[in-house]
Amino acid sequence: VVDKIDISDAQLSLFFDKNRKISLSIISQQNPTENSWNFELSPKQVLYLHKILQKQIQSIQDTYIESQLSSYISSLMIEIPSYEGIQGVSNDDKFALPNEKPSFQVKLPQRYEMCSVPVTQQLYKWVMKENPSYFQHQEKPVEMVSWFDAVRFCNQLSKMLNIEPAYEIEKDIVHWNRESCGFRLPTEAEWESVVHIGTPQKLRYWEQSLKDNSVIESLQNYAHFASPNQGTIRVGQKLPNNIGIYDIIGNVFEWCWDEFNPYTDLPKV
């Protein structure tokens, strides 16, 4: 009988009587006269009741989260302007890594939106019902996720908000439906454009300039960088870049859509 009762507006009381018997009282807050129940329970029934209540409480929490999720996500999104510029570095740059060469022209004619902070552990857990992170805190960025985990997260978030998912996933094959407006990973060019548009130039290639104290001082304002055992920090604790994106450098690595391939000097649109 207990699992047929809606407890979303009820007050529950579980207590021992003088004979050490366990009793449960359920009283509706909206209609206490007509909707109230009293049960005498065995220890096994108490355990069963606990499971039932957990399910109903989780259902209530899920309903609340979904009702708030749309406005929460909307509050995080930043419009990124169209961009045309150079990605990568020239072949004669002695500081650059081999996989950063050569430079090539990139054109992103369409505007799009990007989340202003990395995905938090709280948001990931809301959507995926788990938190795989090593450095646990609900406001820290989620980590210990694979590229496949990331695209599945994007699809699940889209489904929760009744948006057509961006990805069609079959086993280990992922197809990006470019007609969809669902959540997705940025392309490498999109990620790079956000760095180029919004980040002071001397910080874009900070690895090349760490002997310059002014670069280090400025970098500390925008990026969290530390040895691995010091862990991550909560998102949004440093300054955003000029277009309002936090943690675009520092804190954690971020997945992009593209496979890791060598650059060529051919232009890309």
Side-chain angles (χ1 to χ4, degrees):
V1 176
V2 176
D3 61 348
K4 305 293 185 184
I5 299 173
D6 180 7
I7 64 163
S8 58
D9 74 324
Q11 175 181 322
L12 282 71
S13 300
L14 189 65
F15 52 87
F16 289 94
D17 64 16
K18 62 182 180 181
N19 296 317
R20 304 290 294 171
K21 292 183 179 179
I22 305 170
S23 298
L24 170 70
S25 172
I26 304 177
I27 302 175
S28 169
Q29 301 280 45
Q30 294 184 356
N31 194 350
T33 304
E34 295 184 11
N35 294 331
S36 62
W37 303 268
N38 288 282
F39 304 94
E40 186 175 298
L41 305 174
S42 69
K44 286 185 178 180
Q45 288 173 319
V46 172
L47 293 175
Y48 177 72
L49 174 64
H50 176 69
K51 293 179 181 179
I52 296 298
L53 295 183
Q54 276 189 320
K55 289 180 181 179
Q56 291 210 26
I57 291 170
Q58 185 63 55
S59 176
I60 294 166
Q61 289 175 336
D62 290 346
T63 301
Y64 174 77
I65 288 168
E66 288 180 22
S67 70
Q68 302 297 314
L69 193 56
S70 179
S71 58
Y72 173 69
I73 294 296
S74 296
S75 71
L76 295 176
M77 303 306 285
I78 297 287
E79 185 178 88
I80 309 300
S82 57
Y83 172 77
E84 185 170 356
I86 299 296
Q87 185 173 329
V89 296
S90 63
N91 283 320
D92 59 359
D93 191 320
K94 63 181 179 179
F95 293 105
L97 298 173
N99 60 15
E100 295 176 313
K101 303 175 183 180
S103 61
F104 55 95
Q105 188 76 15
V106 169
K107 186 175 182 179
L108 300 171
Q110 294 183 332
R111 297 187 175 197
Y112 58 96
E113 291 188 335
M114 179 180 283
C115 187
S116 58
V117 295
V119 174
T120 62
Q121 295 176 31
Q122 181 183 54
L123 177 57
Y124 191 89
K125 188 173 182 179
W126 279 354
V127 175
M128 303 302 287
K129 313 304 181 190
E130 63 176 2
N131 180 10
S133 303
Y134 183 80
F135 299 107
Q136 293 266 329
H137 189 286
Q138 64 177 8
E139 294 178 16
K140 288 185 176 184
V142 68
E143 16 91 7
M144 305 297 289
V145 291
S146 69
W147 184 86
F148 283 102
D149 293 331
V151 297
R152 291 187 188 102
F153 166 83
C154 291
N155 269 10
Q156 184 60 24
L157 179 58
S158 297
K159 290 175 183 177
M160 290 178 72
L161 295 179
N162 297 313
I163 303 171
E164 181 184 8
Y167 301 118
E168 298 167 5
I169 305 172
E170 186 167 346
K171 295 183 179 179
D172 58 350
I173 299 174
V174 181
H175 171 71
W176 173 14
N177 176 9
R178 294 173 185 258
E179 300 301 316
S180 166
C181 293
F183 294 96
R184 61 177 178 83
L185 301 177
T187 65
E188 184 185 16
E190 287 170 336
W191 187 92
E192 290 276 359
S193 75
V194 171
V195 175
H196 280 265
I197 294 169
T199 306
Q201 185 171 4
K202 69 178 180 178
L203 299 184
R204 295 178 199 164
Y205 307 108
W206 59 270
E207 302 102 322
Q208 304 169 13
S209 311
L210 286 181
K211 292 182 180 180
D212 184 338
N213 288 332
S214 66
V215 172
I216 296 174
E217 290 173 6
S218 297
L219 186 63
Q220 289 173 337
N221 294 324
Y222 291 91
H224 170 66
F225 55 101
S227 61
N229 62 345
Q230 289 181 285
T232 57
I233 63 170
R234 290 177 294 144
V235 302
Q237 296 302 294
K238 299 290 184 175
L239 293 176
N241 69 6
N242 295 335
I243 54 176
I245 304 293
Y246 294 85
D247 299 317
I248 194 67
I249 51 177
N251 215 358
V252 289
F253 287 106
E254 296 170 316
W255 285 116
C256 292
W257 164 252
D258 310 61
E259 293 182 0
F260 188 81
N261 287 319
Y263 286 169
T264 70
D265 57 4
L266 297 175
K268 292 183 179 180
V269 178

